[in-house]
Amino acid sequence: MILSYSKASMAFITAITALCAAVSGAEVNLALHRPYEISPKPNYPLCTDADDVWQLTDGRKRGSNWTQRTTVGWQHCNRVPEITIDLGRVYSVSSVRIYTVSGSMAGVFEPYCWVVMLSNDGSDYRFAGFDTGDYRGDPVEKRRQSRKRTVDNIGLAGRYVKIFIQPRGEAALLFLDEVEILGTEELDPS
């Protein structure tokens, strides 16, 4: 079954989720159903489609399979892929997660590194953290293996979250199927 939501109902769902989190003190995925921009555009032929503009924040983790349309993928990037997510309001961000994949038999490796930056206004960004993964110089897995990479202990506020992801390997392949931004406290209710 395919569910379709209007912008108003998505804003309502996001607001209720944030309110419940603020009341309970529990972390929530602030990126859930939030809009984002990707640059450069995904270009891996087996998984690139029109739905790439919402699949990274749809709340579904499917394993980043590069042969499935539910994955967002790049190959031979001449620029580091950049994802900018608009949270709608300024929130306190505690951690950011990306769901990626490795599979050395296909020349797919975890990202070399990735960086998280935050901004309140969408133009003045500040460094929030980075992750270099656990790559040790040898392929981690020969077969396709889903990976969750996390930048923890951010503790900064922002409305816009920008993520730069450096692919690894000659083909510069990168695949994602979800981005989560975890936080608890809404800092600016207006």
Side-chain angles (χ1 to χ4, degrees):
M1 173 186 350
I2 297 176
L3 298 176
S4 152
Y5 299 101
S6 70
K7 286 183 181 179
S9 62
M10 290 312 304
F12 178 74
I13 291 169
T14 302
I16 293 298
T17 302
L19 179 62
C20 291
V23 170
S24 70
E27 284 192 334
V28 296
N29 179 7
L30 301 169
L32 187 61
H33 303 296
R34 296 302 309 162
Y36 58 87
E37 295 178 6
I38 305 174
S39 179
K41 291 185 179 188
N43 65 354
Y44 191 76
L46 295 178
C47 63
T48 297
D49 62 8
D51 293 337
D52 286 348
V53 297
W54 63 267
Q55 289 170 329
L56 293 179
T57 59
D58 65 3
R60 298 181 182 155
K61 296 174 267 307
R62 301 173 188 92
S64 299
N65 188 335
W66 54 82
T67 65
Q68 302 297 314
R69 296 276 183 208
T70 55
T71 297
V72 177
W74 295 263
Q75 69 177 352
H76 301 296
C77 293
N78 58 0
R79 288 189 0 222
V80 171
E82 171 184 325
I83 302 162
T84 305
I85 300 173
D86 179 357
L87 300 178
R89 295 183 183 165
V90 175
Y91 289 94
S92 177
V93 175
S94 59
S95 63
V96 177
R97 294 180 185 149
I98 60 172
Y99 291 81
T100 187
V101 67
S102 66
S104 65
M105 289 180 77
V108 177
F109 302 96
E110 286 187 65
Y112 178 72
C113 69
W114 59 288
V115 174
V116 177
M117 300 187 78
L118 296 177
S119 172
N120 291 345
D121 60 9
S123 61
D124 183 26
Y125 282 87
R126 61 200 175 284
F127 178 80
F130 74 100
D131 175 47
T132 58
D134 58 6
Y135 187 77
R136 294 177 186 85
D138 294 321
V140 178
E141 293 285 336
K142 291 192 181 252
R143 292 192 209 151
R144 186 179 66 81
Q145 179 71 35
S146 297
R147 301 280 182 199
K148 175 177 74 173
R149 305 300 315 160
T150 305
V151 172
D152 279 323
N153 303 316
I154 293 175
L156 297 172
R159 172 179 173 168
Y160 299 91
V161 179
K162 190 177 291 271
I163 302 167
F164 298 93
I165 307 173
Q166 176 65 55
R168 180 188 310 276
E170 290 181 29
L173 296 167
L174 175 64
F175 301 99
L176 301 173
D177 78 351
E178 192 69 16
V179 174
E180 294 178 330
I181 300 168
L182 302 178
T184 57
E185 180 184 357
E186 185 175 346
L187 296 179
D188 182 9
S190 60

